[in-house]
Amino acid sequence: MRHERHPSAELRVPRAKLERQVLLIDADDTLWETNLHFERVVSAFCDLVGFLGYANDYVRQQVDFAERTNIARRGYGAGSFLLTLEEVYLKLAGHRAQQAHRQQIRGFRRVLLEEPLRLFDGVAETLAYLAARHRLLLFSRGDAGEQSRKVVASGLAPRFESWEIVPEKNEAAYRTLVERHGLRPAQVWMVGNSPRFDINPALAAGLNAVFIPAVHSWEYENEEIRPGPPVPTAPSGAEGSGDEGGRLLVLQRFRDLQEHF
Ligand SMILES: [Mg+2]
C-alpha cells in the first residue's frame, strides 16, 4: 500500500476546528467514484479482445502504455481514453479487426460518462457543512466539458464559489490558482485522493493538504508523499499556531473533514 507512506513529521493535526479557510477540492475519486468505472471498461476490453488469444496482463500493459503516451498528446478524460482503447484494439487485432468491436469500444462511453455519479458516503452533507464555514473551490484536472457536466450532474455545483478545471495539476497550476484568487497559502488546503496531483504539488507550492485515499485508485495518481519546502516556524510557545503552510492531514473518509474544519 503506497498510500500509507507519509512523513509523520508533517502530520500536524489542528487541535481545534479551523476558522474560515479556503478548501480546494478535487472531484474524481474524491467526491465520487471514477477510476472503478475505468477499471470495469478495461476488464470489458480484455474480454472483447479475448478472441485474439493474448494474456489479459499483456493487454492491460498495452493499454497502460498507450494511455500514458496519449495523456501527453490528448490530455485526460473518457474521450481520450476511448480513443486509446480503439488504437490498442487496432494494434492487437491487425487484419482481424472488426467494425462491430470498434462500435463496442465506443459504446463504453456509456459506462464512463452516462452512468449516474455515485457520490462517496457523506459527501453531500459534508460539503453543505463546509460551504457554510469556509470558501470552497473545486479544483480538478481533465477535460473541461466532461468535468463540468459531472459537477452539474452531481448536484454539488452550488456548494462551490468557483470551479477550476485545468489540464494538469502541477505546482505551477497551484501557484497560478493562488495568485489569481489572491489567496494566502497558509490558509489554503488541497483536499484530494492523489499524492501525485493533489498532495505533493500543493505542499510544494506552500499550501496545506488533506489526503483522503480512494479505495479504487488509479496507479498513475500514486506516489510517495513528500514534504513541501520548510515553512516559517511559529514563535516559541505558539506551536501549531495554525497559520503556516505545509500541514498535512490524512483522513479515511470525506465526512471526517467535518471534525477539522
Ligand atoms: Mg482525484
Side-chain angles (χ1 to χ4, degrees):
M1 278 287 287
R2 301 168 66 171
H3 278 143
E4 287 174 359
R5 277 188 271 156
H6 51 74
S8 54
E10 291 299 304
L11 245 177
R12 298 197 297 275
V13 181
R15 289 182 190 147
K17 285 190 186 186
L18 292 160
E19 296 300 326
R20 194 76 178 155
Q21 305 284 299
V22 180
L23 305 184
L24 313 177
I25 300 186
D26 174 52
D28 289 338
D29 291 312
T30 294
L31 299 178
W32 51 70
E33 197 93 73
T34 297
N35 190 49
L36 184 61
H37 301 306
F38 280 79
E39 284 177 8
R40 287 193 179 132
V41 165
V42 172
S43 184
F45 180 77
C46 287
D47 292 345
L48 187 142
V49 298
F51 77 102
L52 295 167
Y54 295 108
N56 280 357
D57 281 354
Y58 177 76
V59 174
R60 283 171 190 277
Q61 261 175 26
Q62 294 298 305
V63 172
D64 279 353
F65 180 75
E67 186 181 23
R68 284 163 201 220
T69 309
N70 284 338
I71 281 169
R73 289 197 292 137
R74 284 199 294 255
Y76 301 91
S80 165
F81 182 67
L82 293 172
L83 287 173
T84 294
L85 285 188
E86 229 177 306
E87 283 169 17
V88 175
Y89 174 77
L90 291 174
K91 183 179 159 200
L92 293 176
H95 69 281
R96 290 190 280 171
Q98 298 172 28
Q99 195 55 32
H101 286 159
R102 296 179 69 178
Q103 285 301 338
Q104 266 180 272
I105 293 168
R106 288 170 205 167
F108 291 151
R109 183 174 192 83
R110 281 191 301 279
V111 181
L112 298 178
L113 290 176
E114 290 164 30
E115 282 197 1
L117 286 176
R118 273 185 44 202
L119 298 185
F120 289 128
D121 180 46
V123 160
E125 63 174 68
T126 304
L127 284 179
Y129 164 87
L130 293 172
R133 294 177 45 86
H134 304 279
R135 292 177 65 188
L136 307 187
L137 280 69
L138 187 95
F139 191 37
S140 94
R141 166 180 57 91
D143 179 84
E146 269 177 30
Q147 290 289 316
S148 303
R149 280 191 293 276
K150 284 196 205 181
V151 183
V152 171
S154 73
L156 301 173
R159 302 296 179 210
F160 296 99
E161 180 183 308
S162 78
W163 316 346
E164 306 287 335
I165 300 163
V166 292
E168 199 63 82
K169 275 158 89 172
N170 50 26
E171 185 184 334
Y174 283 89
R175 290 188 186 280
T176 302
L177 182 76
V178 163
E179 198 169 316
R180 198 170 59 245
H181 288 271
L183 308 176
R184 283 186 53 208
Q187 292 179 335
V188 180
W189 296 74
M190 178 65 210
V191 179
N193 69 295
S194 166
R196 179 169 178 180
F197 299 112
D198 297 319
I199 310 305
N200 285 335
L203 292 175
L207 313 182
N208 309 289
V210 182
F211 177 37
I212 310 175
V215 175
H216 301 279
S217 65
W218 183 20
E219 187 55 29
Y220 187 67
E221 296 195 307
N222 290 341
E223 64 186 15
E224 195 164 345
I225 289 178
R226 295 184 297 270
V231 292
T233 315
S236 60
E239 186 207 341
S241 65
D243 200 25
E244 66 275 6
R247 287 169 286 171
L248 171 69
L249 258 176
V250 182
L251 301 180
Q252 292 307 307
R253 295 161 308 186
F254 194 82
R255 65 163 71 249
D256 296 343
L257 285 165
Q258 295 185 58
E259 292 167 23
H260 302 281
F261 292 92

